[in-house]
Amino acid sequence: MRVVDVIAKKRDGCTLSREEIDFFVNGVTRGTLPDYQASALLMAIVLRGMTIEETSWLTDSMVNSGDRVDLSDIPGVKVGKHSTGGVGDKISIVLAPLAAACGVIMPKMSGRGLGHTGGTLDKLESIPGYRVDLRVDEFKAVLRDVGTSIIGQTASLAPADKKLYALRDVTATIGSIPLISASVMSKKLAEGSDVVVLDVKCGDGAFMKDEADAKALATAMVAIGTRAGVRTEALITDMDTPLGRAVGNAIEVVECIETLKGRGPDDVMAVVRRFASRVLVLAGREPNEAAALCRVENALASGKALETFGRMIERQGGTAPRRATAT
């Protein structure tokens, strides 16, 4: 099999076979496929698209390029969350400790900024000492003790995605529904969660500018997760304007702390409440979203959500929020 033939096939609008997709992903993972050929195929996918079957194969191949985290020895339903990103999007940093404070196990392997988006890891690394490079055993230990841990993608987890992610950022091949879907879901499936909740941003500050594209992306990711046997739900949220009042790594973390105190900007609080309530229901912690919202409000008002965030930060080498000051 020659990669030039695979590129030409997709360039001409044909459907790739599973073997051809595996050939491409294996070449990227092993470093035997030059960047210029990988970039050419990425561009062909952007221009010609992929069927949901092709996209599922691409996702599966990316997951199989590395290890999967086994969280079966940690009791409870594990809920993963991912956002497609936008300006000022800081929801994961708030949601993970809030959900954990409500009794939900939330593992989170996040990424860095892509295109115009701010990266969760970049924001967390503005906290002095915070480590995003935990080993899997360290990650699991924090999950057991705190209920959540936010780290970077380990070298052994979906390594093909890590390489393709970097290539897409510099080759104008970011805004592709199949490529976004495969990237997001390969990480989520490798992460070991039982349930995945997706935040699909829609608007001027998102990759998906209109509602039709956002719905197509949400549908594709839910289909991939469902085909893999993982319960997957997607919510579409507004990104016509930046979320909150802060845009920038350190000041966004300060805004997250204020949100965990229940004093965040109205738009951030609304999205956090919406996701946290749904996560509690999906994890079986509450029977309905009204009851879940009451539990969420209690975790915010009591300080338990902020305390959980502090414990996670300290376990990962950082300075806890009670000692953080805005600069």
Side-chain angles (χ1 to χ4, degrees):
M1 188 181 299
R2 299 191 311 159
V3 68
V4 67
D5 296 326
V6 179
I7 295 169
K9 186 175 179 180
K10 179 48 67 178
R11 178 203 64 197
D12 294 339
C14 299
T15 300
L16 301 181
S17 68
R18 180 160 197 157
E19 291 72 25
E20 288 166 332
I21 290 171
D22 286 343
F23 176 67
F24 164 61
V25 172
N26 288 338
V28 169
T29 306
R30 296 168 184 166
T32 57
L33 185 65
D35 283 353
Y36 64 85
Q37 287 188 310
S39 299
L41 186 51
L42 289 173
M43 186 60 75
I45 291 170
V46 169
L47 297 175
R48 293 295 194 170
M50 280 183 147
T51 66
I52 189 60
E53 189 169 46
E54 283 179 291
T55 308
S56 294
W57 288 338
L58 176 61
T59 305
D60 192 49
S61 189
M62 289 162 66
V63 172
N64 291 334
S65 69
D67 299 329
R68 295 177 187 243
V69 178
D70 182 3
L71 300 178
S72 60
D73 56 337
I74 299 177
V77 177
K78 275 69 71 175
V79 181
K81 183 264 180 185
H82 189 86
S83 169
T84 56
V87 181
D89 181 11
K90 54 192 71 71
I91 301 303
S92 294
I93 298 175
V94 178
L95 178 63
L98 175 56
C102 296
V104 178
I105 304 297
M106 182 166 276
K108 185 79 176 75
M109 291 188 178
S110 295
R112 300 194 178 277
L114 182 62
H116 63 273
T117 70
T120 297
L121 298 185
D122 304 312
K123 294 167 190 176
L124 287 171
E125 283 184 330
S126 71
I127 300 171
Y130 188 89
R131 288 181 56 210
V132 301
D133 60 344
L134 300 189
R135 300 187 311 269
V136 170
D137 62 315
E138 294 174 314
F139 175 58
K140 291 176 67 173
V142 179
L143 278 178
R144 285 192 190 93
D145 295 347
V146 180
T148 190
S149 177
I150 305 176
I151 66 170
Q153 187 177 343
T154 68
S156 64
L157 233 71
D161 172 65
K162 194 170 185 178
K163 294 184 178 182
L164 289 173
Y165 194 89
L167 260 185
R168 288 168 56 217
D169 196 25
V170 296
T171 58
T173 53
I174 297 172
S176 158
I177 289 175
L179 294 178
I180 294 172
S181 301
S183 176
V184 170
M185 295 308 297
S186 65
K187 290 190 284 284
K188 293 298 103 181
L189 295 177
E191 193 177 75
S193 295
D194 305 304
V195 176
V196 172
V197 179
L198 302 164
D199 182 359
V200 179
K201 299 296 185 187
C202 177
D204 290 340
F207 293 125
M208 301 297 106
K209 306 297 182 186
D210 59 65
E211 190 172 353
D213 285 343
K215 285 183 177 178
L217 177 60
T219 299
M221 292 192 292
V222 170
I224 291 168
T226 302
R227 287 169 72 108
V230 174
R231 181 169 182 178
T232 307
E233 290 192 5
L235 300 175
I236 296 174
T237 61
D238 178 62
M239 187 44 75
D240 273 328
T241 58
L243 265 174
R245 295 184 291 267
V247 177
N249 294 336
I251 59 175
E252 284 192 55
V253 170
V254 173
E255 192 166 82
C256 288
I257 292 167
E258 290 303 302
T259 304
L260 285 164
K261 293 177 181 177
R263 303 200 299 253
D266 290 344
D267 57 347
V268 175
M269 294 298 303
V271 177
V272 166
R273 288 184 174 110
R274 183 181 179 191
F275 273 91
S277 299
R278 188 62 191 151
V279 163
L280 263 63
V281 173
L282 291 172
R285 304 302 299 185
E286 293 293 347
N288 55 62
E289 292 187 25
L293 182 58
C294 288
R295 190 164 182 165
V296 167
E297 297 293 358
N298 287 336
L300 292 169
S302 68
K304 190 173 182 181
L306 182 62
E307 178 194 359
T308 303
F309 186 45
R311 288 173 58 213
M312 180 189 77
I313 290 172
E314 288 183 334
R315 285 297 307 272
Q316 295 186 213
T319 304
R322 60 180 176 273
R323 294 189 292 273
T325 58
T327 57

